[in-house]
Amino acid sequence: MTLSAAQKREITRQEYNANLAECPGHEVLATLSDKWVTLIVDALADGPLRHAELARIVAGASQKMLTQTLRKLERDGLVGRTVTASIPPRVDYELTPLGHSLLPIQRAIKTWAETHIEAVHHARDLYDTAEGQDPPRATPRP
């Protein structure tokens, strides 16, 4: 079947529209929305770090979660892993050029979260209070 130029453009547009369920961008968005990804990318902004150094900076991440997240970032081309032959072997992680291109976006999200946490907590309190009063549900939520 032959497609017109307009049909080809529409197919291409839909292939990478993250709002569409079949878009491969969904996988990337899932990775980027992970809080550990944001914190690790931010931690690696100033240069390579070893696993133990990352664990100290990214407080709350278990060794398993940190390792899984680093592997995911390495697989996606955002983090590079360098093994130096020594006893014990030295392993350093650093942002790749692709990872560095993500840094301003991830930092903006992190800064927004830090700046607006009180407003979010206030909104949650209001919501939870209203939920406890069992408000009418006639109007659908957006």
Side-chain angles (χ1 to χ4, degrees):
M1 172 167 111
T2 304
L3 299 175
S4 69
Q7 289 171 319
K8 288 178 184 177
R9 281 192 302 273
E10 180 61 19
I11 290 169
T12 300
R13 185 188 68 76
Q14 288 182 4
E15 284 177 352
Y16 295 106
N17 179 345
N19 289 326
L20 299 175
E22 47 293 327
C23 178
H26 275 261
E27 290 177 33
V28 176
L29 285 174
T31 297
L32 299 181
S33 64
D34 182 297
K35 72 176 177 181
W36 301 120
V37 168
T38 299
L39 297 174
I40 289 170
V41 167
D42 186 63
L44 292 173
D46 294 327
L49 293 172
R50 297 175 76 176
H51 195 282
E53 294 168 321
L54 275 169
R56 279 191 295 277
I57 294 169
V58 182
S62 67
Q63 182 173 347
K64 179 182 177 182
M65 182 55 65
L66 191 57
T67 299
Q68 286 175 344
T69 305
L70 285 165
R71 285 183 183 156
K72 186 184 329 180
L73 291 170
E74 186 179 4
R75 182 174 183 244
D76 288 349
L78 300 171
V79 168
R81 179 176 177 263
T82 304
V83 179
T84 305
S86 62
I87 299 176
R90 178 184 175 104
V91 180
D92 291 287
Y93 297 92
E94 65 182 318
L95 292 177
T96 63
L98 186 60
H100 276 286
S101 73
L102 175 63
L103 188 58
I105 298 161
Q106 291 293 72
R107 280 200 163 158
I109 291 170
K110 181 178 176 280
T111 299
W112 186 94
E114 294 166 347
T115 303
H116 293 89
I117 189 62
E118 288 185 26
V120 170
H121 282 164
H122 179 69
R124 287 177 182 174
D125 290 344
L126 291 174
Y127 179 88
D128 293 346
T129 300
E131 287 295 306
Q133 296 174 2
D134 201 18
R137 297 282 182 199
T139 307
R141 294 183 183 187

